[in-house]
Amino acid sequence: MSVPLYQAKAELFRTLGHPVRIRVLELLQDGPKPVRDLLATIDVEASNLSQQLAVLRRAGLVTSYRDGPLVMYALSTPDVADLLAAGRRILGAVLTDRDGLLDELRADGRDR
C-alpha cells in the first residue's frame, strides 16, 4: 500500500526539521563536499554529523560517494536548493516583526 502524498510531504518536512541537516544542505548548495569540510564548518561531533547525514541520505536529499579516501556528499537534486530558497523567501515574508532575523536574511542572501 502506498503512502498518501500529504504523508510523504510531512515526512520530508520532518526531515528538514533539524538545524544541522539544514546547515548541511546549505553548505552542499555550492557543490559536493567531503565530510571533513562539513565537520570543519559545522560545530558538532563527528558522530552527530554522521547521524544527520544518514537521515538526509535515507530521505533521498543527499547522495554520497567515495573520491579516493574521502567520502563526498552532494545534493541529490537542485530542487533541494530551490526548497531552501523558498524557505528563505517565506521567512522574509512572515518575519516582519522580528527585525534582527529579518535584517540577517536581507544582508546574507543565504541561510546560515
Side-chain angles (χ1 to χ4, degrees):
M1 187 160 106
S2 82
V3 174
L5 181 57
Y6 64 87
Q7 191 172 347
K9 287 180 183 179
E11 185 59 35
L12 170 67
F13 285 108
R14 271 193 295 278
T15 299
L16 296 173
H18 194 285
V20 171
R21 292 181 212 142
I22 293 293
R23 189 66 182 126
V24 166
L25 296 174
E26 291 169 355
L27 292 170
L28 294 178
Q29 289 180 94
D30 296 329
K33 297 214 177 345
V35 173
R36 70 176 183 205
D37 289 2
L38 295 172
L39 267 173
T41 306
I42 303 171
D43 187 26
V44 296
E45 295 292 324
S47 60
N48 187 351
L49 180 60
S50 178
Q51 290 172 344
Q52 303 311 326
L53 287 167
V55 170
L56 292 170
R57 244 188 353 261
R58 281 192 303 272
L61 297 175
V62 300
T63 59
S64 65
Y65 59 93
R66 282 207 167 272
D67 184 9
L70 302 175
V71 177
M72 303 290 291
Y73 282 86
L75 296 180
S76 61
T77 171
D79 292 333
V80 175
D82 294 343
L83 181 60
L84 293 172
R88 185 180 180 285
R89 287 191 306 274
I90 291 166
L91 283 173
V94 301
L95 291 177
T96 56
D97 63 335
R98 294 175 68 182
D99 293 334
L101 189 52
L102 186 58
D103 289 344
E104 185 179 333
L105 281 169
R106 288 181 179 142
D108 190 24
R110 266 244 275 292
D111 298 341
R112 292 246 170 211

